[in-house]
Amino acid sequence: MTWWHALIVVVAGIWAGTINAVVGSGTLVTFPVLVALGYPPVTATTSNAIGLAPGTLSGAWGYRHELKGYWPQTAKFAVASFLGAIGGTILLLSLPKDAFEAVVPVLVGLAVVLVIIQPKVSKWVAERREQNGTEHKPGPLLMFFIFLIGIYGGYFTAAQGVMLMAVMGMLLSEPLQKLNGVKNVLAAVVNLVAGVIYAFVAPVSWAVVLWLAVGSTAGGFLGAKIGRKLSPAVLRGVIVVIGVAAVIQLVVKQFAS
């Protein structure tokens, strides 16, 4: 890896770590960057999972005050994410490489759509709570959805945070800032589980992992610290632009091959 490639990866890691802590979907920054630098989609995905894991951990730590008193319940959610992540990594490693490369544009496109509709979902959730005033306790349905999102996250990490916020926001009555802290913890669990498995049995670029880890760790702390001061609209706009560009690039690459 050249020095300027390393610099690009570090900057992408910082940006992704910040985005993951604030709104999620940092993979939609780093994945296209790695593909543009010439890494195969599978290697980009596995290296992403490992390299962004420290950033999700630092983001989760930054939200520890919001989770005070809620750690026992968060631990229960984490079990579902843990099991789901194992299932997702098995899928990625079991399916043919061509199948993964074919479905990647669809997954990136889905992630972009989720990022676009996330503000409307959050608004709907807030209005729903004000109207019915009902306290929603964690139940089997929520655990099932967290498990499914864990599978998705283990297979392809982009937008799992947005999915988690949408599901928890609809099925729980906790404040959104607390849910954002839970989201960071669950994303960290998925990335760590997938990263550990990929480290032993999947193609990984350790140079990418190193520089992504450096950038994402700094970005995670940054996002957790100043996330409430950043404009979610600006971050979301950047994610959407990069995601759409990634879809176009991946589709063109498939037709060219």
Side-chain angles (χ1 to χ4, degrees), residues 7-253:
L7 180 61
I8 291 173
V9 173
V10 169
V11 172
I14 293 173
W15 191 240
T18 303
I19 290 173
N20 277 337
V22 179
V23 296
S25 303
T27 296
L28 286 182
V29 174
T30 52
F31 180 81
V33 168
L34 295 180
V35 172
L37 292 177
Y39 294 95
V42 172
T43 302
T45 297
T46 56
S47 302
N48 246 325
I50 304 173
L52 293 183
T56 54
L57 283 173
S58 61
W61 176 254
Y63 273 88
R64 64 192 182 280
H65 299 299
E66 280 75 13
L67 293 176
K68 187 176 181 180
Y70 204 69
W71 282 107
Q73 187 58 60
T74 303
K76 294 178 182 178
F77 296 153
V79 173
S81 292
F82 177 88
L83 296 175
I86 294 176
T89 56
I90 291 174
L91 278 178
L92 180 64
L93 298 174
S94 302
L95 294 177
K97 179 182 176 182
D98 292 343
F100 177 77
E101 292 184 0
V103 78
V104 162
V106 177
L107 294 175
V108 175
L110 171 64
V112 171
V113 171
L114 289 170
V115 172
I116 293 173
I117 68 174
Q118 189 266 341
K120 293 185 178 180
V121 173
S122 297
K123 182 179 179 181
W124 177 81
V125 169
E127 291 175 350
R128 174 174 169 271
R129 288 177 179 175
E130 291 178 2
Q131 290 172 0
N132 61 29
T134 303
E135 183 177 358
H136 299 279
K137 298 289 186 180
L141 180 61
L142 176 60
M143 297 295 286
F144 177 68
F145 279 132
I146 291 175
F147 170 73
L148 289 182
I149 295 170
I151 293 177
Y152 170 85
Y155 186 77
F156 187 67
T157 57
Q160 63 171 322
V162 176
M163 293 180 180
L164 285 168
M165 286 298 289
V167 168
M168 292 190 298
M170 287 185 282
L171 297 178
L172 291 175
S173 301
E174 305 297 338
L176 289 180
Q177 284 294 347
K178 179 175 287 188
L179 294 184
N180 203 32
V182 175
K183 176 262 293 181
N184 285 337
V185 173
L186 299 186
V189 169
V190 171
N191 280 18
L192 279 173
V193 171
V196 169
I197 295 175
Y198 292 152
F200 288 98
V201 297
V204 173
S205 170
W206 290 107
V208 168
V209 169
L210 171 63
W211 296 117
L212 268 185
V214 170
S216 68
T217 300
F221 283 121
L222 179 66
K225 185 174 182 180
I226 65 173
R228 299 175 187 86
K229 300 178 183 179
L230 293 175
S231 168
V234 172
L235 290 174
R236 192 172 292 109
V238 173
I239 295 171
V240 170
V241 170
I242 293 176
V244 171
V247 172
I248 295 173
Q249 179 185 4
L250 291 166
V251 170
V252 170
K253 184 177 180 180

